Amino acid sequence: MSPNSTTMSVNVTFGRPLFYINGFSNMLYANYYFMFLSVVYVLTILANAFLMLVICVEQSLHNPKYVAVFHLAVVDTCCSTAVIPNLIHTFIFSSQFIVFEACLANMFFVHFFNGLQSLSLVLLAYDRVIAICFPLHYHTINTNTRMIIIIVVFWVFFSVMLLVVVLLVARLSFCKSTVIDSFFCDHGPVCKLACNDISANSIFAKLLIALFLILPMVLIILSYACIVFQLFKITSREGKRKALKTCTSHLILVIIFFLPILVTYATAMVSAIHPNARILNNSLSATIPPLLNPIIYTLKTEEIMEAIKKLYKKTRFS
């Protein structure tokens, strides 16, 4: 069965169709890109595993800030695992046909861990606001237990919301093309293939974008507005420098995660994006930040660098 025959599936309603993921089929030198993603995946797993190991082993890092950093490393690992192995299996081994149930599962996990990345960045912004704006009360306001409770609430609330969105897709019928113009079972491209009313799907999709993409950006901007306001109250230049230095890593992560997404949305509003450009940008947005996040946090954070030095000395001494 070829994609052409799938595209020509008309006048027949499929309750549980066999989808065809078209993604990189028409992209030149796609195999080189898949090799690149394979390297990215291996490095992502190694970098995040190393960061999690350092946080677990070093007692001085057992505080709310590094609970949030550890959580980001877990989310990065899961996000990369949800995207890259499946993408490579789909296109290198020509397994582009996917059953309906597997498509819904793929849709859930890719969107779930991608959305959790933005929530993780909000969590780190919250920690920085408490540390800089309320330094004397930091250890009473922000505890390890409280941070873990917030993380659990994020996971439960987002999973329930996303489950509703995925179940709304399950009620759709597909009587036109079943070719998904993406590199995974993306919600938007799948819904566009439906032949019945998708207004509820569209409303919930926009609600998710508002709650888990736009709202996190707004909260992060507000948190840094509070931090900048607090910096004006600090009289010493050294105090300002130290406060800003603790935010550098987080700011870089925010830019790396949100900027490609904003560029894609802004470009789409102004003019039509070539499908290959959109797919390439979306795949890079989902795979590069999980690799860069642990590297940036390791290199730009003094506490982690000191913990690595201690760990190295202990290992060498042993």
Side-chain angles (χ1 to χ4, degrees):
M1 191 175 183
S2 66
N4 290 333
S5 61
T6 309
T7 308
M8 294 171 64
S9 298
V10 293
N11 300 325
V12 181
T13 300
F14 294 90
R16 295 289 183 268
L18 188 67
F19 286 114
Y20 183 89
I21 300 177
N22 198 39
F24 294 98
S25 297
N26 301 317
M27 195 174 291
L28 292 173
Y29 309 112
N31 285 339
Y32 293 105
Y33 182 62
F34 302 143
M35 289 169 63
F36 166 72
L37 287 183
S38 300
V39 174
V40 166
Y41 180 64
V42 172
L43 293 176
T44 300
I45 299 301
L46 291 175
N48 282 289
F50 179 72
L51 180 58
M52 287 188 278
L53 176 66
V54 171
I55 294 171
C56 286
V57 170
E58 183 53 48
Q59 289 291 325
S60 63
L61 300 181
H62 293 182
N63 57 54
K65 176 183 177 181
Y66 289 101
V67 169
V69 173
F70 186 91
H71 173 254
L72 179 62
V74 171
V75 171
D76 284 340
T77 303
C78 294
C79 184
S80 194
T81 302
V83 174
I84 297 178
N86 196 54
L87 187 152
I88 291 169
H89 176 263
T90 298
F91 294 101
I92 288 185
F93 297 101
S94 300
S95 301
Q96 287 154 281
F97 286 101
I98 183 169
V99 296
F100 187 74
E101 291 76 10
C103 184
L104 294 185
N106 179 239
M107 181 188 298
F108 177 87
F109 286 112
V110 173
H111 286 306
F112 180 69
F113 290 114
N114 204 35
L116 278 179
Q117 278 191 304
S118 67
L119 294 178
S120 300
L121 294 173
V122 171
L123 201 60
L124 287 163
Y126 157 77
D127 176 81
R128 289 302 82 206
V129 168
I130 303 299
I132 294 171
C133 299
F134 308 99
L136 299 177
H137 303 286
Y138 177 79
H139 294 291
T140 53
I141 296 174
N142 201 19
T143 63
N144 287 353
T145 304
R146 192 161 294 170
M147 191 64 85
I148 291 168
I149 290 171
I150 294 171
I151 289 169
V152 170
V153 170
F154 278 172
W155 278 63
V156 172
F157 181 63
F158 187 39
S159 61
V160 170
M161 289 290 292
L162 194 54
L163 192 61
V164 171
V165 170
V166 172
L167 289 176
L168 282 172
V169 176
R171 61 178 259 286
L172 298 176
S173 297
F174 300 88
C175 56
K176 300 176 184 177
S177 170
T178 52
V179 177
I180 302 171
D181 192 18
S182 184
F183 63 96
F184 75 105
C185 283
D186 199 351
H187 180 267
V190 170
C191 287
K192 284 179 182 178
L193 302 176
C195 53
N196 49 343
D197 183 28
I198 60 167
S199 56
N201 302 76
S202 180
I203 290 168
F204 269 90
K206 288 173 182 174
L207 180 62
L208 277 185
I209 291 170
L211 286 176
F212 301 105
L213 184 63
I214 297 172
L215 182 60
M217 279 195 292
V218 171
L219 291 175
I220 290 169
I221 291 167
L222 289 175
S223 69
Y224 275 99
C226 294
I227 288 169
V228 169
F229 180 75
Q230 185 64 27
L231 288 177
F232 283 117
K233 295 181 180 180
I234 300 173
T235 53
S236 69
R237 186 176 293 180
E238 182 64 20
K240 289 180 179 180
R241 189 189 68 81
K242 284 184 177 179
L244 280 171
K245 197 173 182 180
T246 63
C247 299
T248 305
S249 302
H250 180 253
L251 275 171
I252 295 171
L253 303 192
V254 169
I255 292 167
I256 289 170
F257 179 78
F258 285 108
L259 187 61
I261 297 171
L262 289 174
V263 168
T264 303
Y265 276 105
T267 307
M269 289 172 67
V270 174
S271 61
I273 307 176
H274 191 279
N276 285 352
R278 177 181 58 80
I279 290 166
L280 190 64
N281 184 67
N282 287 347
S283 62
L284 287 172
S285 299
T287 54
I288 298 301
L291 168 63
L292 296 181
N293 290 348
I295 295 171
I296 290 166
Y297 246 104
T298 300
L299 296 178
K300 299 290 290 182
T301 310
E302 285 183 9
E303 296 102 312
I304 293 180
M305 291 303 293
E306 286 299 318
I308 291 170
K309 288 175 185 176
K310 284 182 186 178
L311 190 62
Y312 174 72
K313 286 176 182 177
K314 284 178 184 178
T315 307
R316 191 178 179 186
F317 181 74
S318 299

